[in-house]
Amino acid sequence: DYKGVRFGLIDIGGQTALRSSWKQYFAGTTAIILVIDSADSGRMHLAKAELQKIVQDEVSDKPGTECTPRLRTHVVSRASHPTDTPQDLSSALLLVLANKQDLPASSRMTPAQVSEALGLTDLREREWQIMGCSALTGLGLFEGMDWLVGKLESR
């Protein structure tokens, strides 16, 4: 629960072999929280490819062996009101948390750089927000959740 909204979170990141099962978690999804490792610029292209599949609701059915442990996607199902109707994934909000902002600037990407690398500005039909954060210090986490709760409440 956060500010009167109950979230159901499922961590669906990880190995490529598990990605074929992601779609089963999308029913009733009202928001996606994507946590990005800002210090791992070398795999940003993989995160972008997976994000494009997710927002297009085209999760691949082809299992593979490549592992992206630093890509974490949390599916949020809003359960705060019993009359809420499930939405399809195309209308789900997207909150991107650019993690590890507590690291020196020379060893991490800024939220603007992460946004550019993920192609967030190309998502013209989706409400999204990117927030720099630190899982260690809590920096930016509450601000991101505040944005998400505000958007969910206004729907």
Side-chain angles (χ1 to χ4, degrees):
D1 289 324
Y2 183 75
K3 293 192 174 184
V5 177
R6 175 166 284 167
F7 291 93
L9 298 172
I10 304 166
D11 182 347
I12 58 172
Q15 296 181 351
T16 306
L18 301 176
R19 293 181 193 162
S20 63
S21 67
W22 284 4
K23 197 168 191 159
Q24 69 181 328
Y25 299 107
F26 291 162
T29 297
T30 55
I32 300 166
I33 302 172
L34 178 65
V35 182
I36 295 291
D37 182 343
S38 298
D40 193 358
S41 60
R43 290 206 251 180
M44 204 59 63
H45 68 283
L46 294 172
K48 180 180 181 180
E50 290 304 321
L51 174 60
Q52 288 174 342
K53 289 177 190 175
I54 290 168
V55 299
Q56 294 172 6
D57 199 9
E58 296 176 358
V59 177
S60 174
D61 292 328
K62 298 178 182 176
T65 58
E66 187 171 10
C67 178
T68 56
R70 292 185 178 107
L71 170 65
R72 294 287 181 250
T73 307
H74 302 278
V75 173
V76 178
S77 297
R78 183 172 172 218
S80 64
H81 196 279
T83 60
D84 285 346
T85 56
Q87 299 173 310
D88 66 9
L89 199 56
S90 66
S91 61
L93 298 166
L94 174 63
L95 172 61
V96 177
L97 296 174
N99 193 22
K100 298 192 179 177
Q101 294 299 306
D102 54 311
L103 295 177
S106 62
S107 62
R108 58 145 170 97
M109 298 171 72
T110 66
Q113 291 168 321
V114 171
S115 175
E116 184 176 329
L118 294 176
L120 293 179
T121 57
D122 295 336
L123 301 178
R124 301 184 201 294
E125 302 298 319
R126 177 174 308 275
E127 284 188 88
W128 61 269
Q129 175 70 287
I130 186 165
M131 183 67 59
C133 73
S134 168
L136 290 177
T137 67
L139 169 81
L141 295 175
F142 292 111
E143 293 84 350
M145 292 303 292
D146 288 344
W147 174 83
L148 191 55
V149 167
K151 289 294 183 178
L152 288 170
E153 288 176 342
S154 69
R155 285 188 167 190

